[in-house]
């Protein structure tokens, strides 16, 4: 309503403000009783910790997926019998895991091999 006031309560993580809760009061004084502020601040602190834990979990899951993909591709590459098979397998697996990107590999003349493309 027109008489509402907004009180911002910082959401802090390790002393750093990562956001704010905006609380609309039902009066124009923009005052919240101290006991309510303690509750709101405690909840804001718990929310920040929960958000950080969720972010850390997502990061950990992403890293685990990456490591799993690397291990799977490495297994397929090590099963290849010759230079061309290794290159073709590597390109095919990278292409599959990078969403259909077009990949190529070029070696120096010292390898005596032609460019490979997938």
């Amino acid at each position: 309503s027109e008489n509402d006031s907004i009180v911002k309560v910082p959401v802090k993580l390790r002393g750093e403000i990562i956001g704010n809760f905006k609380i609309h009061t039902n009066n124009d004084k923009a005052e919240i009783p101290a006991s309510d502020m303690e509750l709101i601040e405690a909840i804001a602190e718990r929310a920040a910790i929960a958000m950080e834990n969720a972010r850390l979990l997502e990061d950990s899951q992403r890293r685990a997926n990456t490591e799993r993909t690397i291990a799977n591709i490495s297994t397929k590459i090590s099963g290849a019998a010759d230079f061309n098979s290794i290159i073709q397998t590597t390109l095919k697996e990278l292409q599959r895991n990078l969403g259909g990107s077009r990949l190529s590999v070029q070696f120096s003349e010292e390898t005596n091999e032609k460019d490979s493309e997938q």
Side-chain angles (χ1 to χ4, degrees):
S1 76
E2 292 178 17
N3 293 331
D4 284 2
S5 293
I6 298 174
V7 175
K8 287 185 182 179
V9 177
V11 179
K12 296 180 184 179
L13 183 63
R14 291 186 293 275
E16 184 178 330
I17 296 174
I18 61 169
N20 289 293
F21 283 147
K22 289 183 181 179
I23 300 167
H24 296 260
T25 64
N26 292 329
N27 59 52
D28 58 0
K29 295 180 184 176
E31 290 182 20
I32 295 176
S35 60
D36 289 349
M37 280 303 293
E38 286 176 22
L39 174 66
I40 294 165
E41 288 169 352
I43 296 300
E45 180 182 324
R46 300 309 188 292
I49 292 168
M51 286 184 274
E52 176 69 358
N53 288 340
R55 186 191 66 76
L56 291 172
L57 178 61
E58 286 175 2
D59 287 350
S60 176
Q61 289 172 335
R62 195 174 307 115
R63 280 192 305 275
N65 286 337
T66 299
E67 291 300 321
R68 195 170 21 260
T69 300
I70 291 169
N72 289 339
I73 293 173
S74 296
T75 299
K76 290 177 182 178
I77 292 169
S78 0
D82 59 56
F83 187 84
N84 284 332
S85 295
I86 292 169
I87 297 305
Q88 292 304 316
T89 300
T90 301
L91 290 173
K92 183 175 101 182
E93 291 303 316
L94 283 173
Q95 184 178 32
R96 190 171 63 80
N97 282 279
L98 296 176
S101 299
R102 185 160 190 239
L103 305 169
S104 65
V105 62
Q106 180 179 355
F107 293 95
S108 66
E109 292 178 26
E110 295 172 11
T111 62
N112 294 322
E113 296 289 335
K114 295 182 179 179
D115 291 352
S116 293
E117 196 172 292
Q118 183 74 29

